Amino acid sequence: MDVRATTAGETAFFHANGWVRLARLVDQDTVTDLRDRALARLGERPRSRATLVDRAFGQSRDIAQEDERFAELTRRLAPNAVRLLSGVSAVRMQVTNLLVKDGGGADGHGATPFHQDFPWMPMDRSAMLTVWLALADVPADMGALRFYSGSHRHGLLGRSFTTTGDDQLTQHPWLKELELSPPLDLAAGDATVHHALTVHGAPANRHRSPRLSFTVTYFDADTLYTGMPYGQTDGLGLAVNKPFDHPRFPCLGR
């Protein structure tokens, strides 16, 4: 498995904009294998449109806990997360996910509303990012992510993606004054990375074939648990104001 290191220029771009595109991040043989594994896993998922998230994309969480190839990829990507996050010596893995955005018009998924990832998290600091890896070619009109550049510098903007029409742009119209990233055509093995405070969303998939990606989220290993209710952490016995020392959040990238 070949995962390249981020460059100094890519790191500087991420710090300035809160997102970055990483071309040819993972080698093609690995991506082909991961795509086959992902399709087999996603073929077993129940299809739901019950929530706003379900209507925007389908998901299969914690793939790295069940598939060693995805677990290896998660370990290999971690040093890049350390390089991209300022002042971080190591990271923990928060979650891995397979995401699919079906095409096909009315029968497919809709747009992903613009939002921040961090407002839901039970962490005491926002040093967190998500790697979004294309497992197949993702033309821009298939629903590749778009980002409001520099939005991560405006701090916590509140929860959105909770009711229809309630996204960051309706809550904060001034965001439209920021530069919106251009439509991105991603090849299989390309990735985007975004900070957990970066406002991002995605258009609907205008193709008949599904948009397929793998995501992994990392956070500063020194982060403390706040105790805020959150489905992933409830019941794990984590201690408030202590690090996330639990097998679900392995420390990586030192």
Side-chain angles (χ1 to χ4, degrees):
M1 181 180 291
D2 183 18
V3 176
R4 73 169 180 85
T6 53
T7 67
E10 289 167 338
T11 300
F13 187 95
F14 179 81
H15 289 169
N17 294 280
W19 69 275
V20 67
R21 175 182 179 168
L22 303 178
R24 298 181 296 279
L25 180 63
V26 179
D27 70 278
Q28 289 301 301
D29 287 344
T30 296
V31 171
T32 298
D33 177 42
L34 296 176
R35 180 170 61 246
D36 291 344
R37 291 167 179 262
L39 289 171
R41 169 77 172 250
L42 289 168
E44 302 170 355
R45 69 182 170 93
R47 293 177 180 264
S48 172
R49 297 293 189 270
T51 70
L52 290 178
V53 173
D54 293 333
R55 295 169 207 162
F57 53 81
Q59 56 185 321
S60 181
R61 294 172 69 88
D62 297 324
I63 179 64
Q65 292 186 6
E66 301 181 23
D67 187 303
E68 176 53 36
R69 288 288 280 171
F70 282 101
E72 181 183 1
L73 177 61
T74 298
R75 293 190 293 268
R76 295 288 189 93
L77 289 170
N80 280 332
V82 173
R83 279 187 283 270
L84 291 172
L85 289 171
S86 298
V88 169
S89 61
V91 292
R92 294 183 186 275
M93 185 274 289
Q94 188 249 335
V95 70
T96 59
N97 217 341
L98 296 177
L99 301 182
V100 58
K101 186 183 280 286
D102 292 327
D107 294 331
H109 289 105
T112 304
F114 281 96
H115 63 283
Q116 291 178 314
D117 293 334
F118 190 72
W120 305 94
M121 300 298 177
M123 284 79 173
D124 77 330
R125 65 203 68 184
S126 61
M128 174 184 288
L129 58 74
T130 295
V131 181
W132 194 103
L133 176 69
L135 296 180
D137 291 348
V138 179
D141 61 353
M142 188 178 268
L145 295 183
R146 301 189 71 178
F147 314 92
Y148 275 93
S149 294
S151 55
H152 65 305
R153 294 195 295 270
H154 293 275
L156 194 64
L157 298 177
R159 293 181 177 182
S160 57
F161 213 162
T162 57
T163 60
T164 301
D166 176 33
D167 65 3
Q168 289 290 335
L169 301 183
T170 58
Q171 292 182 22
H172 305 289
W174 57 265
L175 282 167
K176 296 178 184 178
E177 299 173 9
L178 302 179
E179 181 181 358
L180 180 61
S181 64
L184 299 175
D185 295 315
L186 302 178
D190 292 353
T192 59
V193 183
H194 63 272
H195 193 279
L197 291 177
T198 300
V199 176
H200 62 286
N205 180 0
R206 301 305 180 190
H207 292 239
R208 295 207 61 82
S209 55
R211 186 202 75 181
L212 184 63
S213 62
F214 165 76
T215 68
V216 53
T217 299
Y218 301 97
F219 63 100
D220 182 355
D222 292 332
T223 294
L224 305 182
Y225 175 56
T226 66
M228 184 179 79
Y230 187 62
Q232 188 191 31
T233 50
D234 294 347
L236 293 183
L238 297 173
V240 174
N241 296 328
K242 298 294 183 181
F244 284 71
D245 290 330
H246 191 279
R248 286 189 63 90
F249 309 104
C251 189
L252 305 168
R254 287 194 190 276

